[in-house]
Amino acid sequence: MTTVLIIIAVVVVIVLIAAVVGGRKKKVQREDQHRVEAHEHRQEAKVKGARADVREAEAEQQAALAKQEQAKAEEQRMVAERERHAAEERHEHADQLDPDVDADAGRGDRASEREPRR
């Protein structure tokens, strides 16, 4: 009976050793799999980061263009305002020179906008 107990003990020890070795192999395999998965995640994050950088640069470029267009529009508005002011001054000067314009009638009654009297 002692031989049977020794054989059983040896078998149990072999099974335990096999379980420990098998568990370590599985742990190593899981760790390797996690390393690969982590590497894939890092690569994907790198690609997404590069895409985000491109989109951000495009957005900044669009904002700069919009700002440039806004500045051009403002400059054109100011030029138009100066031209309008100069035109009004010329009208006023013409009204002062024209003997047919009633000075008391104001700007709405410009003889230069009507046919001249003969």
Side-chain angles (χ1 to χ4, degrees), residues 37-49:
E37 192 175 333
H39 178 74
E40 290 172 355
H41 284 285
R42 285 186 185 98
Q43 288 298 102
E44 186 177 331
K46 194 175 188 179
V47 169
K48 286 184 177 183

Side-chain angles (χ1 to χ4, degrees), residues 2-71:
T2 24
T3 313
V4 172
L5 287 175
I6 292 174
I7 292 174
I8 291 175
V10 169
V11 169
V12 168
V13 169
I14 292 173
V15 168
L16 287 175
I17 291 173
V20 169
V21 170
R24 285 186 182 168
K25 280 187 178 182
K26 284 186 179 181
K27 182 181 178 187
V28 169
Q29 285 176 343
R30 268 194 315 261
E31 287 175 348
D32 286 344
Q33 183 180 0
H34 287 163
R35 283 185 189 97
V36 169
E37 192 175 333
H39 178 74
E40 290 172 355
H41 284 285
R42 285 186 185 98
Q43 288 298 102
E44 186 177 331
K46 194 175 188 179
V47 169
K48 286 184 177 183
R51 285 182 187 150
D53 290 344
V54 168
R55 287 191 179 126
E56 183 177 12
E58 289 172 349
E60 288 174 359
Q61 184 180 16
Q62 286 177 347
L65 289 173
K67 188 174 181 180
Q68 184 180 14
E69 290 298 319
Q70 180 66 30

Side-chain angles (χ1 to χ4, degrees), residues 74-92:
E74 179 63 20
E75 182 180 354
Q76 288 175 350
R77 185 195 64 78
M78 291 173 61
V79 167
E81 188 176 303
R82 282 194 303 267
E83 288 175 352
R84 180 173 291 112
H85 182 70
E88 288 172 357
E89 285 180 349
R90 294 294 282 172
H91 276 294
E92 289 173 8

